[in-house]
């Protein structure tokens, strides 16, 4: 059963990605509208966005070192960078395998303990999750009126259901609730959730043990500014989205960020999420999907190319390297 669950964790997201791509391009008219929008995009903005994305990855590698060095290991920036890019590449093929491979590659090159190396990755992920949730909350609060008005319009245009049809929905909801309770008890999901939340709390506490707090949070702020910046720049690709304000940018950014976790690298889900968000701002579905595909495609291309380069260059870069230098003054926990 455990082996089946492990296989499902890989197969289901990949299958979902293929299905979402299929429904995007299966309709001839929709496919033609998408290709037309993609054809008239101004791709100079794509290059600018890709450069901003690359800068964020370099900063991520440097920020990572601020968590590793307090453990007593003086490591090299390029090894951190190559491990980060290789992890992104592997994560696009195998969901949630990027962090493990990133820690493994770095530990092998720098001769650092895998568990401690992986722990630093978990800690920085916790910080990024908190920031993403904060951005999400800010976006919901500032864009509440627009989203609520669009939802009212959407639901007001739907036909009112007959009173006699309420009971099948209630029955279905009851059966679903029972299944959820059974699954929670069967697989011990309560304990797993509790452990996950405790892990998040431990990760946050570990950030405060580093003497590089200022540098860590400075690079964290710069990383997220670059994330939003490379997303906002892409809005200039298409005439319809070039005039949208910060609210539309943040809405698309938030929806797209959460879509990434559904499929490997956001394949198939990212552009649909962006289009859904931009629909609240009057952007046609085909235009929103085209913009989402440009954003996703350009970043995916960069991660694939640079990730392969990092996988190739990392062994060459470390051919005569004997590993990290121990920092005598560091306090190793």
């Amino acid at each position: 059963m455990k082996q089946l669950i492990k296989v499902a964790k890989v197969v289901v997201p990949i299958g979902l990605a293929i299905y979402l791509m299929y429904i995007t391009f299966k309709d001839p008219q929709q496919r033609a509208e998408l290709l037309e929008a993609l054809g008239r995009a101004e791709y100079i903005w794509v290059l600018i966005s890709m450069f901003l994305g690359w800068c964020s990855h370099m900063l991520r590698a440097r920020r990572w070192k601020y968590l590793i060095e307090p453990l007593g290991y003086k490591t090299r920036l390029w090894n951190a960078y190559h491990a980060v890019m290789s992890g992104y590449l592997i994560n696009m093929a195998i969901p949630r395998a990027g962090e493990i491979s990133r820690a493994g590659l770095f530990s092998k090159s720098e001769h650092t303990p895998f568990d401690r190396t992986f722990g630093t990755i978990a800690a920085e992920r916790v910080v990024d999750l908190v920031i993403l949730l904060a951005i999400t909350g800010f976006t919901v609060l500032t864009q509440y009126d627009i989203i609520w008005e669009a939802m009212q319009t959407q639901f007001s245009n739907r036909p009112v259901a007959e009173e006699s049809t309420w009971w099948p929905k209630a029955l279905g909801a009851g059966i679903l609730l029972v299944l959820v309770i059974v699954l929670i008890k069967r697989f011990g999901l309560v304990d797993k959730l509790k452990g996950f939340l405790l892990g998040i709390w431990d990760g946050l506490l570990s950030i405060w043990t580093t003497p590089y707090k200022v540098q860590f949070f400075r690079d964290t702020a710069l990383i997220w500014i670059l994330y939003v910046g490379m997303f906002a720049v892409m809005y200039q690709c298409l005439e319809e989205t070039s005039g949208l304000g910060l609210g539309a940018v943040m809405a698309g950014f938030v929806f797209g960020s959460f879509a990434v976790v559904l499929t490997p690298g956001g394949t198939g889900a990212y552009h649909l999420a962006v289009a859904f968000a931009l629909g609240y701002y009057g952007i046609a579905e085909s235009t929103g999907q085209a913009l989402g595909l440009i954003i996703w495609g350009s970043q995916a291309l960069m991660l694939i190319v640079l990730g392969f380069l990092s996988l190739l260059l990392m062994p060459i870069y470390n051919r005569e390297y004997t590993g990290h230098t121990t920092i005598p003054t560091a306090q190793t926990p």
Side-chain angles (χ1 to χ4, degrees):
M1 186 65 180
K2 291 183 178 180
Q3 189 65 29
L4 182 62
I5 293 176
K6 290 181 180 179
V7 173
K9 287 181 179 179
V10 176
V11 174
V12 172
I14 293 176
L16 178 61
I18 295 173
Y19 173 72
L20 292 176
M21 278 296 191
Y22 167 73
I23 65 173
T24 298
F25 291 98
K26 70 173 183 176
D27 182 73
Q29 182 178 351
Q30 181 175 326
R31 184 168 61 247
E33 292 176 354
L34 271 173
L35 293 176
E36 187 273 332
L38 291 171
R40 59 183 169 81
E42 298 182 18
Y43 285 92
I44 183 61
W45 299 105
V46 175
L47 297 177
I48 296 173
S49 177
M50 292 173 73
F51 174 72
L52 295 178
W54 179 80
C55 290
S56 73
H57 302 320
M58 282 295 299
L59 284 172
R60 179 172 289 278
R62 189 174 73 174
R63 184 185 70 167
W64 189 20
K65 280 173 56 64
Y66 292 138
L67 294 182
I68 294 174
E69 289 195 3
L71 300 178
Y73 311 117
K74 183 71 174 179
T75 58
R76 300 200 292 180
L77 176 62
W78 282 107
N79 269 337
Y81 167 77
H82 289 318
V84 167
M85 298 310 297
S86 299
Y88 279 136
L89 172 67
I90 295 171
N91 209 42
M92 292 192 67
I94 307 175
R96 289 172 292 278
E99 286 77 8
I100 297 175
S101 60
R102 170 180 160 186
L105 289 168
F106 187 81
S107 297
K108 182 179 180 181
S109 299
E110 291 286 348
H111 301 158
T112 58
F114 174 83
D115 55 346
R116 288 190 170 184
T117 303
F118 185 77
T120 58
I121 297 174
E124 66 172 5
R125 288 300 189 191
V126 169
V127 173
D128 289 333
L129 176 61
V130 171
I131 292 176
L132 177 58
L133 292 176
I135 292 175
T136 301
F138 172 80
T139 302
V140 171
L141 290 175
T142 57
Q143 302 300 302
Y144 175 80
D145 292 340
I146 295 175
I147 296 174
W148 177 249
E149 182 180 352
M151 291 180 65
Q152 283 184 315
T153 303
Q154 181 180 4
F155 285 109
S156 65
N157 292 332
R158 292 184 178 182
V160 179
E162 296 181 8
E163 294 183 2
S164 59
T165 61
W166 68 269
W167 65 268
K169 296 179 181 178
L171 178 62
I175 294 174
L176 180 61
L177 179 62
V178 171
L179 287 175
V180 168
I181 294 174
V182 171
L183 288 173
I184 288 175
K185 291 185 176 180
R186 173 66 179 81
F187 294 104
L189 296 182
V190 173
D191 293 335
K192 291 182 179 180
L193 178 61
K194 187 185 299 182
F196 174 74
L197 293 176
L198 288 175
I200 290 179
W201 178 249
D202 290 341
L204 284 174
L205 290 180
S206 70
I207 300 297
W208 297 103
T209 63
T210 175
Y212 304 105
K213 294 182 185 68
V214 174
Q215 295 92 328
F216 179 87
F217 286 106
R218 175 202 63 200
D219 281 2
T220 298
L222 290 174
I223 287 169
W224 282 92
I225 289 172
L226 286 170
Y227 281 169
V228 176
M230 71 185 192
F231 189 88
V233 162
M234 285 294 200
Y235 275 53
Q236 304 304 312
C237 286
L238 298 172
E239 182 180 355
E240 297 93 325
T241 58
S242 61
L244 294 177
L246 180 61
V249 171
M250 298 306 296
F253 177 81
V254 168
F255 275 86
S257 297
F258 282 105
V260 170
V261 303
L262 297 177
T263 58
T267 306
Y270 189 90
H271 68 283
L272 295 177
V274 172
F276 179 81
L278 294 185
Y280 288 121
Y281 298 87
I283 300 300
E285 183 179 6
S286 59
T287 302
Q289 288 188 14
L291 178 64
L293 283 172
I294 294 172
I295 298 172
W296 170 82
S298 60
Q299 294 300 319
L301 176 63
M302 180 182 66
L303 293 179
I304 291 172
V305 173
L306 296 183
F308 269 118
L309 282 176
S310 288
L311 279 176
L312 293 174
L313 293 175
M314 201 169 187
I316 299 174
Y317 180 65
N318 293 284
R319 186 174 295 165
E320 299 180 358
Y321 182 53
T322 57
H324 68 83
T325 302
T326 302
I327 306 173
T329 57
Q331 297 295 322
T332 305

